[in-house]
Amino acid sequence: MTVRHDKVSYPPYPRSVPLARRRVASLVADWGHPGLAGDAALVAGELCGNAVLHGCLRDRLFRVDVTLDGKALRIAVTDPRGERLPVPRVAEPGDQFGRGLLIVGAVAARWDVQTLTVGKAVWAELDLETG
């Protein structure tokens, strides 16, 4: 059962990443989970950054879907490059890039990629605190 859902498409430019990151953080806080907002923003920023760097085509939007159900918050980023699947790698200390999926894996309870008819969706889930 979906409690909350939001979907926004962004142009494939680096300036879209902080816009998406801030929107996700704001939604999560507004949806009653302010303690998850920072982690959600971090995950969204990494997934969106990867979409812009590796998954987007000129003039093709990428989409951010955020879904909150009774157990988890899911952030899914869809881009048009289904043939370019994400692969975690080990970055050297001097490398500027290459740590995003490691960060997502450390923060999220789980993540994966779903191939689509056109493109792919990379998603990560943060478990809700139960108490």
Side-chain angles (χ1 to χ4, degrees):
M1 175 176 116
T2 298
V3 176
R4 304 277 187 167
H5 182 253
D6 183 75
K7 176 174 29 177
V8 176
S9 294
Y10 296 91
Y13 304 116
R15 67 179 178 263
S16 296
V17 175
L19 296 174
R21 186 174 53 236
R22 284 192 298 268
R23 181 174 182 85
V24 168
S26 178
L27 287 169
V28 173
D30 289 348
W31 292 348
H33 298 278
L36 283 180
D39 286 348
L42 179 62
V43 167
E46 294 299 333
L47 295 181
C48 291
N50 282 349
V52 169
L53 285 173
H54 308 293
C56 285
L57 297 168
R58 184 178 178 168
D59 299 327
R60 295 283 307 272
L61 303 176
F62 70 94
R63 185 178 68 227
V64 179
D65 287 275
V66 184
T67 306
L68 176 71
D69 65 19
K71 297 178 183 173
L73 174 78
R74 178 181 277 228
I75 301 161
V77 177
T78 304
D79 68 58
R81 300 284 304 266
E83 75 280 6
R84 296 195 70 187
L85 299 178
V87 178
R89 68 181 189 93
V90 177
E92 297 297 322
D95 289 349
Q96 183 177 1
F97 300 103
R99 295 170 183 82
L101 290 176
L102 296 175
I103 292 169
V104 169
V107 173
R110 65 206 138 268
W111 74 272
D112 206 349
V113 60
Q114 177 185 4
T115 56
L116 306 171
T117 303
V118 175
K120 67 181 175 297
V122 183
W123 59 265
E125 290 182 343
L126 301 169
D127 289 334
L128 301 180
E129 294 181 17
T130 58

